[in-house]
Amino acid sequence: MEREKIRRDVTIKDVARRAGVAISTVSRVLNGLDKVSEKTEKKVREAVAELGYVQNALAVSMVTGQTRTILMVVPDFTNDFNGSVIQGAEEHLKACGYTMLISSTKDFKKEDFENLYRRFAGLADGILVVQGSPDRMDYARWEKPLVLVDAYRPQEDYYTIEIDNERGTFLLTEELIRNGHRRIGLVGGIPGESASGRRVAGYLSAMERYDIEADRRLMAFGSHFEETGSRAMTAFLSLPEGARPTGVVAVNNLTCIGCMKVLAERGMRAGREISLAAFDDHLLARYSVPGITVLERPTMEMGREGAKVLLALLSGEKPKEKRMIMDSRLIRRGSVVNKFVEA
């Protein structure tokens, strides 16, 4: 007990006395402010270990001007994609001695962003952002190093970690077309210069490539949440039988789940009455019967790479690639019916 009490009360003065150096020397070693001799650094490190000295994080931030804290902003906490990106980023940041704060932006209004800025601007050294859809965040307001994940902002000077979103929905739509589908619905996505808009563009590009006219009634644009999928599938199924889509592309896992929910409520199933393909793998896609055909992204790696780029910026480096485009792959399961065989 006495030993524990001593360790809790150890100060930087005690470390300096044990190492036989000045307090300022201990501070320089622990905060990495400038070089000291290898011999001196070893003495300081040994004294810290022997005494069990723990630095005061607030005091360190006052000396270095850094909090070693990163703010991560995501659209919501219900999406598996966001959770995996958070995990990948957090693992790398923790290994590098950083702490991560997390906030979500679902249903944020302008004043909410202002409150977010006031609360965290002084606490974070840098910002990691998973872009929402729609994306209303004023990134320039932070005036700190910032890296975007799952983003498409070619006109702005931000480092981004992304996949080729247009190619992704092209591949999903093409998968339906190659299986004989011509009336193909699109669920979610908002046209424009964003990651969400690129997914809309990929769907339209595939339809044009195969000379299929896109029916506006089968394009249910909207944010990337479950309610968008539920609303879209309900609308599709209310169309006259000859006008309904035989296949549907959902722009992410939540819109896919919304589609699956409506089908289940009506006693229908993806891969039987209607084909379904979607962005992002998830538990329901893997374990439903049949499984859902998806475009799989390297979600944890995207978070990890975003953290790496942000820490590089904080150390004064400038990574060569402004946009890191990561690979994705199509996973075929039983949710896409082959219309040629069916006929």
Side-chain angles (χ1 to χ4, degrees):
M1 183 67 70
E2 185 64 26
R3 182 179 177 81
E4 289 179 4
K5 181 178 186 303
I6 292 172
R7 287 195 171 190
R8 282 198 298 272
D9 295 337
V10 170
T11 69
I12 194 171
K13 290 182 180 178
D14 299 319
V15 175
R17 189 179 303 112
R18 175 65 66 90
V21 298
I23 293 173
S24 59
T25 301
V26 176
S27 178
R28 290 203 304 274
V29 170
L30 298 183
N31 297 317
L33 297 178
D34 58 330
K35 291 286 186 181
V36 299
S37 72
E38 192 173 316
K39 181 179 178 182
T40 299
E41 180 173 356
K42 183 180 178 183
K43 286 198 298 184
V44 171
R45 298 289 182 193
E46 287 176 349
V48 167
E50 289 168 6
L51 295 173
Y53 173 67
V54 178
Q55 283 182 287
N56 182 300
L58 179 59
V60 172
S61 68
M62 292 176 66
V63 172
T64 64
Q66 296 182 337
T67 63
R68 298 190 73 79
T69 299
I70 299 300
L71 172 64
M72 187 161 196
V73 181
V74 298
D76 72 291
F77 296 127
T78 61
N79 191 325
D80 288 348
F81 171 80
N82 297 333
S84 291
V85 173
I86 289 170
Q87 185 176 345
E90 200 267 346
E91 285 178 1
H92 183 73
L93 292 171
K94 182 187 287 185
C96 295
Y98 279 78
T99 299
M100 188 165 73
L101 301 172
I102 310 170
S103 180
S104 92
T105 58
K106 187 178 181 185
D107 300 327
F108 258 31
K109 301 177 181 63
K110 185 176 180 180
E111 58 268 27
D112 294 316
F113 284 112
E114 187 61 29
N115 289 335
L116 183 70
Y117 174 80
R118 287 201 194 108
R119 288 174 61 193
F120 294 116
L123 294 177
D125 293 335
I127 321 292
L128 267 175
V129 178
V130 177
Q131 191 175 39
S133 180
D135 179 27
R136 303 188 182 95
M137 189 167 170
D138 180 10
Y139 301 119
R141 178 83 165 89
W142 291 90
E143 298 181 336
K144 292 190 180 225
L146 184 147
V147 174
L148 300 177
V149 178
D150 191 28
Y152 181 81
R153 287 185 166 228
Q155 308 305 320
E156 298 185 23
D157 193 31
Y158 293 109
Y159 284 87
T160 62
I161 311 295
E162 54 191 295
I163 66 152
D164 188 335
N165 282 282
E166 183 170 348
R167 178 177 176 273
T169 40
F170 182 98
L171 290 175
L172 292 168
T173 308
E174 184 180 58
E175 180 69 7
L176 289 165
I177 293 171
R178 287 181 170 175
N179 279 276
H181 297 269
R182 292 296 178 270
R183 295 195 59 73
I184 300 172
L186 176 71
V187 176
I190 299 172
E193 292 297 309
S194 66
S196 177
R198 293 297 87 203
R199 295 184 194 181
V200 174
Y203 162 83
L204 293 172
S205 177
M207 299 291 276
E208 183 179 359
R209 171 76 64 85
Y210 288 90
D211 199 26
I212 302 171
E213 185 176 353
D215 186 338
R216 293 289 300 181
R217 291 176 297 175
L218 303 185
M219 288 183 277
F221 301 133
S223 57
H224 294 187
F225 294 108
E226 188 179 323
E227 53 265 32
T228 298
S230 298
R231 187 171 57 249
M233 186 59 78
T234 300
F236 291 161
L237 295 178
S238 70
L239 292 170
E241 190 169 341
R244 293 177 188 173
T246 62
V248 169
V249 173
V251 300
N252 80 330
N253 51 3
L254 295 183
T255 53
C256 176
I257 290 170
C259 290
M260 294 171 71
K261 176 174 177 286
V262 171
L263 291 175
E265 289 171 349
R266 300 194 178 204
M268 303 170 72
R269 189 188 301 168
R272 188 171 65 188
E273 290 86 357
I274 192 167
S275 289
L276 179 63
F279 244 86
D280 293 334
D281 204 3
H282 54 97
L283 286 174
L284 282 180
R286 288 195 290 275
Y287 299 120
S288 63
V289 180
I292 306 298
T293 291
V294 296
L295 187 88
E296 182 187 57
R297 294 189 283 173
T299 51
M300 284 187 62
E301 289 81 359
M302 292 174 78
R304 193 174 296 117
E305 290 301 325
K308 285 180 182 178
V309 171
L310 183 57
L311 295 190
L313 293 173
L314 288 172
S315 68
E317 298 176 29
K318 289 193 174 179
K320 291 180 181 178
E321 292 181 279
K322 273 286 184 184
R323 295 176 62 199
M324 179 181 290
I325 311 296
M326 303 192 74
D327 292 332
S328 58
R329 67 182 181 122
L330 186 69
I331 299 178
R332 292 181 175 88
R333 297 190 178 116
S335 65
V336 175
V337 174
N338 189 312
K339 299 295 286 183
F340 297 120
V341 174
E342 190 181 70

